[in-house]
Amino acid sequence: MLAGVEERGELNDLDLPAAMAGLRGRLAAGETPAVTTAEALALAREAARRAEIGAVQPVHIVAAAVLCNGWVGDTKDSEDRSIAAALAACVYALQWPDVHMVTRHQSTAQDHERFAAMYDRLGLRTALITQGSPHEERGYAYAADVLYSDVYELCNDYVRDNIAWDLDECVQAGHGVAILDKIDDILVQQGRSPAIVSGRSSEADRRRWFCERVQSLRPGEHFEISERRAHLTPLGLDRLDMDDALTASTLVRRRMAEEALTAAHCFHLNRDYTIRDGAVFGKVPQGVRHALEAKEEIEIGDERQTLGEILPWDYYRGYEILVGLSPTARLTAPILDELAGATVVTIPQHGSPLPALVRPEQAKDSGMERALRQQVADMLEFTDVQRGHRKGVYSLRRAMLECQDPGGWVRSTLESVVEHYVAAGYRDSRMLRWTLDRLYSTRLTEADLTGQKETVLGLVLADARTAYERRWRELGDELAPELARRVVVSVTDRVWREHLIALDYLPQVVDADSPRVFRDRYHQQATHLYDATIYRISEESIGYLFHLDVDGL
């Protein structure tokens, strides 16, 4: 690698960007990156010299080569890490439209300012995003060849993009390459604190209602106490007119009821909490705090409702290429292997003999390393469930915003829902007609819905298609598509918020006598919960589209 990184002092200032453009053209024509990497590093080193970055040492080239091979480098010196990452970013920018440099908050702006002139000499545009960056500037920043940001800004923009009501509000372009400084710290330490976008949501009325309803429940019969939390029994669920269905709305109501019971039986005034100036003080869980406010008949504060969230390790694992440098990468190699499939390479120190070829090391597998892997694997098991659910829901939401034919989605979804209705209740013509009427105001009678399943299904599908055509004409070609988008996005957001609460609560209602059985049942029930959420989005969206009063819109 070092032998191919030749001096390029013969090039003038106009030749450098032209040479980079030539390399980009060769890559686009099918030349392999392995052939052009050394040439690109040579150009980057020359640009760094002319931008007065400082001398680019052989160790920096080796570290940059490690990153360009898709590996993680262990190097102690922060100066080495900054220079190597910038050199590698120049190489990746030839092939990827979005290269994101992620550094610690306090060094993000300094690194961007330091290397901006180097990128400019190569014809590469760079940008910086910080916490104070205005929204209108972020889209332009994401279009840069190399973007500098701290850990959470990229995560927050991802979440905001996926709760946006219009594509024009979205700023991120793609997730090609992420180069992380202190990659293990970002993925392991900061990675466990989610980036959250939240809003106000008042549940005061429901809190008071549950506070009153649970007063008649008896311990040992309707609920049990374990670790200072109340858990409803089947009899208790029945007493509250609930079932044990794994749907988001049911689990949210169940959690709220159990928080009311916990407030009533596990937390006592002047022992576990006090009231001063009309507010609850004490170390109590947030949901229980609002239940205590209902119990004490004081003003219930607005709850912070999660609109969207993502763990940094989840977000960065979504990049096509994830690489980085860290002074402790060797120590955390097993974790990096589990989290990102990352191979760790030790970068030689200044003055050490440089290897002719950089070779990766295998992650150790001693008893301690195996234990580290099992902690990380256990954490990933649950975050990966949410990751899969989030990906599915966000994809559905984004597809509707981008959809050129929302009417097609409405028509096919309507057909899917009524097929489900017929399959579930075709023998009960009265109930079937009621559910169809609630969905889209059917013109079929109970007599029409009596007969063989295939015949009934054919009649229902024909009636549903006729109802769709009639509704679409009523709305008009201009309003109908936009209304469909708005309704589906609104329903998706509301149901997804409940789904997040339910998914967080789900482990508490999984009944199992061993860790293995617990994992199996958790995955099974999480799948049921997700399927129910997707179906609910479809059913409620169709219902609103057919029954929403649009006068004056």
Side-chain angles (χ1 to χ4, degrees), residues 228 262-263 265-269 272-273 283-285 288 292 295:
R228 296 197 78 189
T262 300
H265 296 273
C266 301
F267 289 84
H268 303 281
L269 182 63
D272 303 302
Y273 66 95
K283 191 175 181 180
V284 294
V288 176
L292 287 172
K295 168 188 170 183

Side-chain angles (χ1 to χ4, degrees), residues 17-244:
M20 287 290 283
L23 290 179
R24 181 177 276 129
R26 285 162 54 186
L27 285 168
E31 193 164 338
T32 61
V35 176
T36 58
T37 295
E39 296 180 54
L41 286 175
L43 296 174
R45 181 170 68 175
E46 183 62 26
R49 184 184 68 79
R50 297 184 190 186
E52 299 181 352
I53 299 301
V56 176
Q57 303 294 335
V59 67
H60 300 144
I61 301 295
V62 171
V66 167
L67 296 175
C68 291
N69 275 287
W71 299 329
V72 169
D74 184 303
T75 182
K76 312 303 178 189
D77 191 275
S78 60
E79 174 82 357
D80 291 349
R81 298 199 302 272
S82 296
I83 294 176
L87 295 174
C90 295
V91 178
Y92 276 121
L94 291 175
Q95 192 176 11
W96 293 90
D98 32 40
V99 178
H100 297 166
M101 299 280 284
V102 185
T103 63
R104 292 162 295 166
H105 179 72
Q106 62 269 29
S107 63
T108 304
Q110 294 93 317
D111 278 6
H112 172 260
E113 182 179 1
R114 179 185 179 190
F115 293 104
M118 180 194 79
Y119 295 118
D120 185 62
R121 286 180 177 272
L122 295 171
L124 301 175
R125 188 171 73 83
T126 186
L128 169 70
I129 287 180
T130 63
Q131 188 173 7
S133 298
H135 180 271
E136 57 270 17
E137 296 179 6
R138 289 178 180 252
Y140 178 79
Y142 277 103
D145 297 294
V146 180
L147 172 67
Y148 277 78
S149 175
D150 67 22
V151 176
Y152 282 99
E153 285 307 302
L154 296 175
C155 299
N156 286 328
D157 280 339
Y158 171 82
V159 174
R160 284 190 286 260
D161 276 6
N162 282 287
I163 61 173
W165 274 74
D166 196 293
L167 290 176
D168 292 339
E169 299 175 17
C170 301
V171 296
Q172 290 193 339
H175 300 88
V177 181
I179 303 175
L180 278 55
D181 184 39
K182 290 195 171 181
I183 181 173
D184 48 358
D185 183 62
I186 290 174
L187 295 184
V188 180
Q189 299 300 324
Q190 297 185 63
R192 290 180 290 180
S193 298
I196 299 175
V197 176
S198 61
R200 292 185 178 276
S201 173
S202 178
E203 294 285 357
D205 291 341
R206 284 214 292 180
R207 291 288 185 188
R208 293 191 180 94
W209 187 86
F210 277 113
C211 181
E212 293 176 1
R213 284 296 305 275
V214 301
Q215 290 180 10
S216 63
L217 302 188
R218 294 185 293 274
E221 180 180 358
H222 299 120
F223 66 93
E224 297 175 347
I225 303 293
S226 174
E227 298 180 355
R228 296 197 78 189
R229 291 197 68 91
H231 302 277
L232 287 165
T233 65
L235 284 176
L237 290 171
D238 185 66
R239 185 68 174 267
L240 295 176
D241 298 320
M242 296 184 189
D243 54 36
D244 57 358

Side-chain angles (χ1 to χ4, degrees), residues 230-335:
H231 302 277
L232 287 165
T233 65
L235 284 176
L237 290 171
D238 185 66
R239 185 68 174 267
L240 295 176
D241 298 320
M242 296 184 189
D243 54 36
D244 57 358
L246 293 177
T247 63
S249 58
T250 299
L251 289 176
V252 168
R253 293 174 64 238
R254 180 171 176 176
R255 190 189 76 162
M256 200 170 287
E258 291 183 346
E259 286 171 345
L261 284 168
T262 300
H265 296 273
C266 301
F267 289 84
H268 303 281
L269 182 63
N270 296 327
R271 191 185 75 183
D272 303 302
Y273 66 95
T274 59
I275 297 177
R276 298 196 304 272
D277 300 323
V280 171
F281 289 85
K283 191 175 181 180
V284 294
Q286 188 63 21
V288 176
R289 180 179 302 276
H290 292 299
L292 287 172
E293 291 168 343
K295 168 188 170 183
E296 298 295 341
E297 299 182 347
I298 60 178
E299 182 178 357
I300 300 176
D302 286 339
E303 300 187 38
R304 298 300 297 178
Q305 185 176 47
T306 297
L307 305 180
E309 66 177 344
I310 193 167
L311 291 166
W313 72 9
D314 242 359
Y315 172 76
Y316 289 107
R317 287 166 64 218
Y319 279 77
E320 297 290 334
I321 296 175
L322 177 60
V323 296
L325 297 163
S326 174
T328 55
R330 287 187 66 188
L331 297 176
T332 56
I335 298 178

